[in-house]
Amino acid sequence: MTYIPALEKIQIGEEATYGDGAVATIQLAGKTCRIDPHVEAEQVIDKRGNTMPAHVALVKRRWSEGLISGFLDYETARLWLNTMFTVDASSPHSYLAVLAGQTPGSLSLYYGQTGLLYKVAGVIPSSLSIKGASGEPVTFEYKFFGQAADAGASFAGLSDPAPVFVMGHHCNLYLDPIAGPIGTTALTDLAFRFEAMMTCNRKPVWHLGDQVPDSNRQGKWGGSMKLVVEADATRLGYINDILDNTIAPEGYAVRMRATDGSKILDINFAGQALTPPPLISDEDGITTVEFDLAPVYSSDATFLSCWGATLTLP
């Protein structure tokens, strides 16, 4: 059978337990996918009295990595957030990077065309980036790992989706001192671009008896938040604050809020300006301030984290 890229589909199942390979219940739109299968194998170099490189080989471990990316929509944003943080099943969905770590949800991924498709169970992200700009749709990149890619699965009979994509004109940014409360000062008619890069540094784990990953372990949260905003007196004052600090870097609380009027997505962040912004930068001839912030724990009683999100769906 000839593979025709135009016939590709991407479907997602939400797993109840890690690696259960749940049947797909969601078909994605406006996204692309890449699956990188990994097979860790080793040739046995033995003494057979001949010059051949090997006669026997072993398969030790199998797993997958990959990327789902494209236009972010409100309805499926919970898939990426449920697996980045932990599952919140009801709206408003609330997410927070907690101090003790957390158990993320996991997905099963079906990708290809009918008769020629691949399935990856146990999909969990190692990073999630969301970025937007004035006049553009908001996009995302979901880097994941999972169990071995298997051929021969079947697509579910799902209806074509009709998603509401998150757009730049849906978005506003809030920028406040790290002491908070977060989401107080809106940068109305000032913000041009943002890029939120969340990393949880989770890794797959194998135990005896398993050739594919049976679980995962979380590392430290990381990433960055980048903002480009028009330079007004207040934001130019922030540059001076960043340059004048001699004890500790300047800290900020950031909220990105997107809404189409009925659905609301918030991305919350606390971070520090470890490097000063360029002086007198510009965006299409307009003087700007560029913030490049590294995540840090916020002791603001309304946050108590470095990353968080909420998603309200009607």
Side-chain angles (χ1 to χ4, degrees), residues 162-243:
V164 177
F165 293 113
V166 183
M167 300 295 295
H169 60 266
H170 294 175
C171 299
N172 202 358
L173 298 179
Y174 297 75
L175 182 63
D176 293 287
I178 197 169
I182 194 168
T184 300
T185 306
L187 302 182
T188 305
D189 297 331
L190 288 172
F192 288 116
R193 288 186 282 119
F194 73 90
E195 182 175 354
M197 166 59 81
M198 293 175 262
T199 61
C200 56
N201 290 303
R202 291 191 180 96
K203 304 291 184 184
V205 175
W206 291 260
H207 293 102
L208 286 173
D210 294 295
Q211 194 179 56
V212 299
D214 60 78
S215 58
N216 70 91
R217 292 294 181 272
Q218 182 173 323
K220 285 185 176 292
W221 287 89
S224 63
M225 176 69 80
K226 298 180 180 180
L227 312 175
V228 177
V229 302
E230 186 172 346
D232 63 357
T234 301
R235 261 46 65 178
L236 290 171
Y238 285 174
I239 292 182
N240 296 338
D241 294 338
I242 293 169
L243 296 175

Side-chain angles (χ1 to χ4, degrees), residues 33-306:
C33 180
R34 189 188 77 241
I35 298 173
D36 301 321
H38 297 288
V39 177
E40 187 176 318
E42 180 180 353
Q43 290 182 327
V44 177
I45 310 302
D46 54 6
K47 308 293 185 182
R48 295 206 179 197
N50 62 53
T51 60
M52 293 300 99
H55 292 264
V56 180
L58 307 170
V59 174
K60 300 189 291 186
R61 297 195 297 187
R62 300 183 303 135
W63 75 103
S64 301
E65 294 179 305
L67 175 71
I68 301 172
S69 61
F71 299 144
L72 184 68
D73 65 79
Y74 292 97
E75 292 83 355
T76 62
R78 65 178 184 82
L79 299 175
W80 325 127
L81 295 172
N82 279 346
T83 53
M84 191 71 190
F85 297 94
T86 194
V87 175
D88 188 343
S90 59
S91 180
H93 307 273
S94 296
Y95 305 98
L96 193 69
V98 300
L99 296 179
Q102 55 216 127
T103 301
S106 59
L107 306 173
S108 54
L109 169 64
Y110 299 78
Y111 174 54
Q113 70 177 46
T114 299
L116 288 170
L117 69 132
Y118 297 91
K119 173 184 177 181
V120 178
V123 167
I124 289 177
S126 55
S127 68
L128 171 65
S129 70
I130 298 173
K131 59 183 177 181
S134 173
E136 298 291 340
V138 174
T139 61
F140 78 102
E141 291 189 348
Y142 178 88
K143 293 184 179 180
F144 67 83
F145 61 85
Q147 296 185 347
D150 292 325
S154 299
F155 283 123
L158 302 177
S159 301
D160 290 331
V164 177
F165 293 113
V166 183
M167 300 295 295
H169 60 266
H170 294 175
C171 299
N172 202 358
L173 298 179
Y174 297 75
L175 182 63
D176 293 287
I178 197 169
I182 194 168
T184 300
T185 306
L187 302 182
T188 305
D189 297 331
L190 288 172
F192 288 116
R193 288 186 282 119
F194 73 90
E195 182 175 354
M197 166 59 81
M198 293 175 262
T199 61
C200 56
N201 290 303
R202 291 191 180 96
K203 304 291 184 184
V205 175
W206 291 260
H207 293 102
L208 286 173
D210 294 295
Q211 194 179 56
V212 299
D214 60 78
S215 58
N216 70 91
R217 292 294 181 272
Q218 182 173 323
K220 285 185 176 292
W221 287 89
S224 63
M225 176 69 80
K226 298 180 180 180
L227 312 175
V228 177
V229 302
E230 186 172 346
D232 63 357
T234 301
R235 261 46 65 178
L236 290 171
Y238 285 174
I239 292 182
N240 296 338
D241 294 338
I242 293 169
L243 296 175
D244 290 345
N245 280 330
T246 60
I247 304 299
E250 199 72 13
Y252 297 97
V254 179
R255 171 171 291 166
M256 189 290 295
R257 169 164 289 182
T259 180
D260 72 340
S262 62
K263 295 171 281 291
I264 303 171
L265 171 64
D266 286 347
I267 303 295
N268 297 321
F269 170 84
Q272 294 175 314
L274 300 183
T275 57
L279 302 180
I280 316 178
S281 55
D282 76 274
E283 178 97 1
D284 296 328
I286 298 173
T287 303
T288 60
V289 179
E290 299 181 8
F291 295 90
D292 190 350
L293 307 175
V296 70
Y297 174 73
S298 169
S299 58
D300 170 17
T302 66
F303 193 29
L304 299 177
S305 187
C306 61

